Structures are given as C-alpha cells and as structure tokens.
Amino acid sequence: MSLSDLHLVPARPEHVDYWLSLRAQASARRYVDTDDDTPDALLKRILEAGSLEDPRAKGFRWFARCEGQWVGTVSARDVSRAQGRAELGYMMDEAHHGRGLGSRAVGLMLDQLFTLPFLQRLWLTTLSENQASQGLARKLGFTLEGTMRAHGVLRGERKDQQFWGLLRSEWTGRQRG
C-alpha cells in the first residue's frame, strides 16, 4: 500500500460496521477494553464527533482509507479551547500493521488539528507494554512525560499507563525542518 494514497474521511454513520469489526480484532482487544461496544454506542460517538469548523466541537473522528480500503480510525477527544489541548486516539486494522499507515494517519490528523489556532498541546496514552504505540508516538515527535503505575484496568488487571505529549511548536518545527 502506498502511504501517499492514505487519506482521512470524517466519520459518518455508515462507518459503524467497519468500526465495530475493527474493535473486535484481537490486536485491538489486546490494549483496549472493547467489550461494551454496540452499534448504537459507536453510532452515538460518531454523531458526537464535530467538524474542525464547529467552534463548539469537543471531539473529532476520522476513518483512514488507503487504496480503496479502510485501514483504521483516528480521533481527538476532550478538546479544551480554554486549555488549548486535546487527547488523541487511534486504532489500525491488524491487516495493515507494520506498514507505517498508523504513523501516517496520525500525522495527517496532527496536520489538521494544528490548524485550530487555540490548540497548543496534544497528548495520548499507551499501556506500558504497547511497544507499537510507543514507537508511533516517538516517530511523530511525542515526548514521554510520565508513567502512572496501575492507572488503568484492562480485563480486570491493573496496568501501568504512559502519558505522551506534543506541543504545537514541536510539530510545526518538525514540518519546517
């Protein structure tokens, strides 16, 4: 698959079935609790996603498409205009792992999000054992800001959670450099 053909499509109700199948994959379930997913719950999340033009939007979601295939989803949530920050999330189809599509999709999302003049900081979390997500964060210039021990619960087991941050100046500096 050509990374140059990858593009983001704003989430729409017709993406629910793909998103449900994506979240059911073993690779997704390894690091995310997806047990309570229902078509109605995911549809609600899609309908709540705003557009970059909406000054009241609290979150955004896109689906990644490459060479005519859906390859994953990327999102920003808990958007705070007052604080100038948002939390990122992403999930890539296991059939496309290891090809750089996740890094490219998140990079495209960063390009879009940093068009918002109020946004100064983005952050994401990874479980300490999720090496692939940590690699994506490093590749895109995120800084590991700390680990909260036993911060999350996944399938009844306490997990350490890492926090990664990226400032607007760091992203735009990388783009110019």
Side-chain angles (χ1 to χ4, degrees), residues 56-175:
R56 296 177 317 274
K58 301 277 189 219
F60 310 100
R61 176 166 301 279
W62 296 272
F63 284 85
R65 194 162 179 83
C66 190
E67 295 181 355
Q69 296 178 47
W70 296 113
V71 297
T73 183
V74 295
S75 66
R77 65 181 186 185
D78 298 328
V79 174
S80 170
R81 282 162 179 72
Q83 299 295 321
R85 67 179 181 224
E87 180 183 4
L88 300 184
Y90 47 88
M91 185 177 287
M92 300 309 292
D93 196 303
E94 61 191 16
H96 303 290
H97 283 187
R99 300 179 184 182
L101 292 171
S103 297
R104 177 78 175 126
V106 174
L108 290 172
M109 177 175 56
L110 294 174
D111 285 342
Q112 290 194 41
L113 291 172
F114 280 128
T115 66
L116 298 170
F118 68 86
L119 195 60
Q120 297 301 312
R121 171 185 167 70
L122 295 168
W123 60 282
L124 59 87
T125 63
T126 66
L127 293 181
S128 292
E129 64 260 27
N130 189 341
Q131 299 295 313
S133 279
Q134 293 163 32
L136 180 149
R138 280 188 202 92
K139 182 176 181 179
L140 293 173
F142 282 79
T143 298
L144 177 60
E145 297 179 333
T147 300
M148 295 181 76
R149 296 172 300 133
H151 184 70
V153 177
L154 181 64
R155 290 182 295 283
E157 185 179 337
R158 300 229 48 99
K159 300 284 185 175
D160 292 352
Q161 195 166 28
Q162 296 178 333
F163 287 77
W164 298 79
L166 179 70
L167 304 178
R168 173 191 289 278
S169 59
E170 295 166 338
W171 181 251
T172 56
R174 286 174 57 100
Q175 301 312 94

Side-chain angles (χ1 to χ4, degrees), residues 8-17 19 42-43 46-47 49 61-63 65 70:
L8 301 181
V9 176
R12 296 187 304 263
E14 57 265 28
H15 297 135
V16 167
D17 290 338
W19 194 14
L42 295 181
L43 178 60
I46 286 174
L47 294 174
R61 176 166 301 279
W62 296 272
F63 284 85
R65 194 162 179 83
W70 296 113

